[in-house]
Every structure is written in C-alpha cells, then in structure tokens.
C-alpha cells in the first residue's frame, strides 16, 4: 500500500499549491522575503518605528462553513476568515502585516479549495496584508467528503506610544458604530437551527429579506474595517478605543475596550436593526436579550472618540460607504454596558 491508498494524494496537494501560487503572490507586500513553498514565511518589519509592537490574532469561520457547503459556494468564507483576525488586531491600532491560513479537509478538492484561497487572498488585499503562507491538511476519515475547516492567523504592528489599551479612553467619549454587512461569522449555529427547526429552505426568499434567499443573506462575508480605520488614524482622528463586535455581541465586546472605572451607556434606538436580524427574531421567537448576546445586530465595529471629533469621524466613515451611527458614551462605572435593555 501507499499513502494514496490511505486516502491522501500527495501529488494532488502539490498541484493545489501550484494552482494557488499566483493568488498568494498577488497579496505580497514589499516586506515579504522569498515565495511560497518554504518551511516558514519570512517578513521584514517595515521601517519608521521607534518601538514597534507586534499584535497577533487567530480565529476561524465557525459553522458558517456548513452554509457554504450546503450552497456549494466557497468564494467568500475566506474573506470571513481574514476579517475575523484582522479586525481583532485592528482594535489595538495595529496595521495587519501578514496572514497565514490552515485548511483541513477529508479529501482535497482542488477547485473547491482554490475558491476558498481566492477568498482569503481577496480578504488580505482588502486588509492590506500579505498572505504569507499556510497549511493544507488532507485528513481522510476525520472530515466528511466535501467538507473542510479553516483557521487563520494574523500579525500586525503598531508604535508602542500609539497602541490602544484602554488607558486613552475618557469619560464622555462618544461611541460611533460602523455598520456590519449582516451576521458576519457569529451566531450561525442559531441561524441554522432556526432554518432547520422552522422548516425553511436556504433557497427560500422571505419578503422581509428584500428578494434575497436565506442562504445569500447569511453567507455575506464579514466587513473588513482595516483600511478605513487606519486612514482615520492617519488623518489625525483621535480615536481613543475600538471594539470588534463578534461572538457575544455588544454586551460582551464593547466593554472590552474600556479603562478602569468606566462603563458605557448605549441608546438602542440610535440605529435601525437590519431586516436579517428582525427575521431571525421573529422566525425563531428569539428574545431581545438572546439576540443581542448572540448577534452583532447590525454593528460590526465601534470607535470611540472625544465629543469634538464626532462629526468629523462620521463624515470620514460615511465617505468610505460605511453607514455610521452615534450609539452611546463612556460613563463612570465598573466595566458594564448600560441601557441596552429596557
């Protein structure tokens, strides 16, 4: 017997690497040293930093992959993978430098996984980081035929004196929300349960979703906020804190950027909850508390600025075609979120 008899096709793996080589190279920054195929990716730190701090992040896509498998659409989950990592790194004020992916599958399907890598490359371009390398693991008997899993790893850089760590935030600072494109990559297990238990099909087109199928609505890729936010910092906007609204929604993520002795007061009427979330709440009879603790509810990222920079900040992000809302302010407290529920 040989490895192919055990379900692992080494030659197919080599062919896959050749097939994605141009996609990977299209993301390279000037600091990348070497090409694809080494044991490690090499990256030279950019110049101009006095005290550079590296900021790292890792994440996956979760059960959103199940929807991609059901719909046989694999060109956008790679964007989700990058987004979940680079948006986290961004909250420290860091610029993402490079990204690595890990793809595991039962049997390598070159066409399917090339779509996945194309999405990863697209996400890296949106974030301005290099796809420095990755790993593809063929694991027969571990994953169902046609299924795969994804993990991503990102490293960014920030000047130590400009790193956001909660100490810059002041009572009276204003929370400005940047809209999400939908559920992003959180809460999809609940979405799938609602669709399954309530007898819906992913091809159904509920009137409230504006003509989209359920599958199209919940497979939309996560918005990447890197370039608009870095442009805001470069333009001199005095951002004191940032939060990426992922699993756990606003209640779990927004307080993570607060300093000692601070809380944040939110006005839930300050933004319009998108139809996708309203449909989920109605179709699944999900309580408001469960909705806010599971989903981003239309807010994917929050920046906190001093009151005198609110208008300038709103104008900046709206010019980037990102709907923007003033949703609250920093108050004295002990790390809690106030005002979300009646």
């Amino acid at each position: 017997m040989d490895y192919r008899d055990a379900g692992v096709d080494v030659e197919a793996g080599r062919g896959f690497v050749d097939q994605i080589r141009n996609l990977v190279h299209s993301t390279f920054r000037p600091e990348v040293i070497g090409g694809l195929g080494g044991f490690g990716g090499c990256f030279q730190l950019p110049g101009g930093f006095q005290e550079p701090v590296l900021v790292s992040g890792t994440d996956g896509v979760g059960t959103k992959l199940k929807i991609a498998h059901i719909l046989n659409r694999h060109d956008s989950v790679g964007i989700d993978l990058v987004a979940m990592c680079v948006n986290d790194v961004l909250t420290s004020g860091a610029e993402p430098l490079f990204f690595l992916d890990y793809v595991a599958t039962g049997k390598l399907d070159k066409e399917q996984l090339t779509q996945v890598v194309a999405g990863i490359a697209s996400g890296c371009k949106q974030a301005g980081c290099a796809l420095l390398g990755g790993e593809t693991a063929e694991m027969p008997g571990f994953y169902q035929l046609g299924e795969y899993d994804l993990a991503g790893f990102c490293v960014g850089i920030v000047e130590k004196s400009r790193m956001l760590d909660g100490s810059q935030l002041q009572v009276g600072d204003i929370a400005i929300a940047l809209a999400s494109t939908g559920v992003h990559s959180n809460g999809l297990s609940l979405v799938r349960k609602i669709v399954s238990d309530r007898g819906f099909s992913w091809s159904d087109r509920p009137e409230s979703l504006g003509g989209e199928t359920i599958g199209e609505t919940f497979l939309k890729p996560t918005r990447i906020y890197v370039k608009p936010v870095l442009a805001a910092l470069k333009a001199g906007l005095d951002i004191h804190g940032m939060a990426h609204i992922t699993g756990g929604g606003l209640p779990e993520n927004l307080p993570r950027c607060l300093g000692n002795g601070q809380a944040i007061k939110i006005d839930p009427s300050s933004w319009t909850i998108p139809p996708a979330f309203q449909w989920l709440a109605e179709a699944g009879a999900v309580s408001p508390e469960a909705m806010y603790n599971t989903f981003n509810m239309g807010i994917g990222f929050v920046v906190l600025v001093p009151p005198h920079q609110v208008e300038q900040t709103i104008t900046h992000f709206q010019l980037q075609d990102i709907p923007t809302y003033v949703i609250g302010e920093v108050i004295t407290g002990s790390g809690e979120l106030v005002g979300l529920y009646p």
Side-chain angles (χ1 to χ4, degrees), residues 1-2 32 42 49 192 201 211 275 279:
M1 293 187 292
D2 60 17
V32 175
C42 300
F49 290 85
R192 290 169 48 243
S201 166
W279 180 84

Side-chain angles (χ1 to χ4, degrees), residues 199-278:
F200 291 105
S201 166
W202 295 102
S203 61
D204 288 345
R205 299 179 185 270
E207 186 176 344
S208 61
L209 297 183
E212 291 183 336
T213 67
I214 296 174
E216 289 168 344
T217 295
F218 295 107
L219 200 58
K220 286 180 182 175
T222 305
R223 175 171 266 147
I224 294 176
Y225 299 93
V226 172
K227 288 185 178 179
V229 169
L230 291 179
L233 292 169
K234 188 175 181 179
L237 289 177
D238 193 15
I239 297 176
H240 289 172
M242 298 187 240
H244 182 202
I245 311 305
T246 56
L250 285 165
E252 181 173 325
N253 291 287
L254 194 45
R256 292 168 68 180
C257 67
L258 297 173
N260 293 329
Q262 296 176 344
I264 188 159
K265 184 177 181 180
I266 294 296
D267 176 7
S269 67
S270 58
W271 78 97
T272 301
I273 296 174
F277 300 98
Q278 298 175 8

Side-chain angles (χ1 to χ4, degrees), residues 120-159:
I120 295 172
S122 174
C124 286
K125 290 177 184 177
Q126 291 180 44
C129 63
L131 178 51
L132 195 58
E135 170 70 9
T136 303
E138 194 172 16
M139 301 166 63
F142 199 88
Y143 293 96
Q144 295 293 324
L145 190 65
E147 291 192 347
Y148 56 85
D149 197 10
L150 302 176
F153 313 86
C154 176
V155 173
I157 191 168
V158 62
E159 188 70 65

